[in-house]
Structure formats: structure tokens, C-alpha cells
Amino acid sequence: MSKWDELLEDLVTANRILAHEGVVDSFGHVSVRHPDNPQHFLLSRARAPDCIELPDIMEFTLDCQEIDGRGRKPYLERFIHGAVYEARPDVVAVVHNHSPSVIPFGITKHTLKPVLHMGASIGHQVRVWDSHDHFGDTNLLVENMEMGRDLAKYMADDRTVLMRGHGAVVAGRSLRHAVFVSIYLEVNAKLQMQAMSMGEVNFLTSGEVDKIIGRTADYTINRAWENWCRRAGRPAINSEV
Ligand code: MN
């Protein structure tokens, strides 16, 4: 299998994994930057992630114009992806989701922060972008580049950001890394809420977060990827650990 075919298979797999792990439901999406043209990215047509197949994968410019669309309907919120790739040359993959446990942290004063070892991958803390600040009453969808750029600017160099009353965005250094962070964002949020209901929370320290992030190698991510592929009924390509 060529590198290109492997990447497309991985993108389909990423969708299926995020669905099986409860990060996306009928909505939410994951994209990857084009490996040969950093000014383009790959994202499925508008379809529930658990249903996505290879022919659904479309190619877009960073301002979200489709290349060879062939009548396929793109996601309304593809601008999240394009704007993050445009602002962040370091980012290789983007996930947008409505992961249920993260929502409360976007609508209360409680900040989402790492509470467990694997949760360190979300970064030191997760800030909340509020579309209402610059755009007032909207339908909450990021459906143009202006909103996407505002979101990407607010996200700055972080790997995660919440969207008030809507969901989250995750930026990864690889497709598998973005999936990894997205899953642990949901796990961390759920555990943090459970801990908060029991009393005061003892969070990971900033130094601990730095050290754990520094040790999160590709073999760690591949070990999780292989397991998640098995659970989602997908072949685990190149995930030797
Ligand atoms: Mn959305």
C-alpha cells in the first residue's frame, strides 16, 4: 500500500475510532493536511463519522474551496479546519467534536485541566472561545473563514480549545496524535467532573504536564491506535509497538 493510500485509510479509521470512543456522534469531523501540498487538506464529505468510506474523502484549499468536489456536499464547519491549518504550520491534523463531557467546561467557570496522567496530552489548560464575543447571536456554527480565523487566533499555539455551548477543537502533530488528544480530552473531562462532585481536585502540576507531554512518543500513540482500531473493527496499518 502506498503512503497516500495508507493516509486515506487512516483518515477513514480516525473517523470510525472517534465514533466508537464516543468523541463524535452523528456530527463532528477529523481532517489531515495534504502530505504533498501543505496548502490543502483532506476531509470527508458531510456524513456521520461512523459511516465514512474512502470515496467520501474530499480535498480542500486552506480557505475551504473544494478541489474536484464531484457534487459531494462538504461539512458546513470545514472552516474550522482550514483556519487552523492556515494559522498553524505545525498542525497536521484537526478534530472538531461535540464530545459530551467537555460541554460543561465551556458554559461554566470551571476550567478543564489535566487530572490524570494520560490527560496531560490536552495541554496545561483548555480555554473557551465564545463566538458571541465578536459575532453576537449566531447559530453557533463556524460557517465562514472570518469565524474560523477568529477561533484559530484565539486558540493561538494551544492544542485544544473549547467552543462555548458547542464543542471543542483539537490540533495534532499527526492524524493519530489528534485522535489521541481528542479521546483523552473526553476522558479527562469526565473524570474531572466526577472528581469535582467529590470535592476539591488535586490537578497535575504544570511541571508534571510538561514532563508527560515530553514523553508522549509515537509508539505510545500507536499502542493506543492499535487498540482503538481493534475496537472499531478497522485494520491497524503500521502501528507496530
Ligand atoms: Mn460543530
Side-chain angles (χ1 to χ4, degrees):
M1 192 182 287
S2 71
K3 284 275 172 218
W4 171 254
D5 288 339
E6 283 178 11
L7 183 67
L8 293 181
E9 289 285 349
D10 258 19
L11 185 52
V12 171
T13 299
N15 277 278
R16 306 291 187 83
I17 287 174
L18 290 171
H20 276 258
E21 301 303 321
V23 172
V24 295
D25 49 12
S26 305
F27 305 95
H29 17 91
V30 50
S31 68
V32 66
R33 197 189 285 272
H34 195 298
D36 303 320
N37 181 358
Q39 299 302 311
H40 286 190
F41 67 96
L42 307 170
L43 173 69
S44 171
R45 72 178 171 99
R47 194 175 195 188
D50 205 24
C51 302
I52 286 167
E53 309 279 355
L54 282 174
D56 297 322
I57 306 298
M58 299 175 69
E59 183 174 337
F60 297 91
T61 60
L62 296 194
D63 57 359
C64 299
Q65 302 304 308
E66 62 228 59
I67 307 289
D68 189 23
R70 280 178 268 140
R72 293 171 293 178
K73 184 179 175 333
Y75 288 116
L76 280 176
E77 291 197 288
R78 61 192 180 281
F79 302 97
I80 294 171
H81 301 259
V84 172
Y85 291 125
E86 180 184 78
R88 297 272 301 272
D90 60 306
V91 169
V92 173
V94 174
V95 175
H96 167 57
N97 65 63
H98 312 146
S99 185
S101 303
V102 310
I103 302 297
F105 294 95
I107 55 178
T108 62
K109 298 243 179 287
H110 295 285
T111 302
L112 180 49
K113 295 194 291 186
V115 293
L116 81 159
H117 175 237
M118 301 308 277
S121 64
I122 69 175
H124 290 275
Q125 64 168 19
V126 187
R127 300 190 306 134
V128 181
W129 175 73
D130 187 346
S131 58
H132 200 274
D133 288 347
H134 289 161
F135 301 98
D137 288 341
T138 65
N139 60 13
L140 291 185
L141 297 174
V142 177
E143 55 186 10
N144 56 55
M145 278 309 281
E146 192 188 1
M147 289 182 80
R149 285 175 178 141
D150 192 66
L151 169 58
K153 188 176 171 196
Y154 185 86
M155 189 179 190
D157 290 328
D158 290 349
R159 51 178 65 188
T160 48
V161 69
L162 302 189
M163 303 158 76
R164 180 187 61 82
H166 182 165
V169 179
V170 173
R173 64 172 187 254
S174 70
L175 183 56
R176 295 180 182 191
H177 181 239
V179 168
F180 184 91
V181 174
S182 300
I183 289 172
Y184 280 107
L185 185 67
E186 167 64 21
V187 169
N188 193 97
K190 193 180 226 173
L191 290 172
Q192 186 177 337
M193 276 193 291
Q194 288 170 349
M196 286 184 331
S197 74
M198 296 168 74
E200 197 177 333
V201 179
N202 191 2
F203 292 95
L204 266 59
T205 68
S206 179
E208 286 168 343
V209 170
D210 281 336
K211 286 192 168 167
I212 296 164
I213 287 177
R215 287 278 306 263
T216 307
D218 285 346
Y219 71 81
T220 308
I221 292 168
N222 279 340
R223 181 156 128 196
W225 181 265
E226 183 186 33
N227 179 41
W228 290 326
C229 282
R230 181 72 61 94
R231 287 157 60 98
R234 290 283 300 172
I237 304 165
N238 289 338
S239 58
E240 292 78 18
V241 293

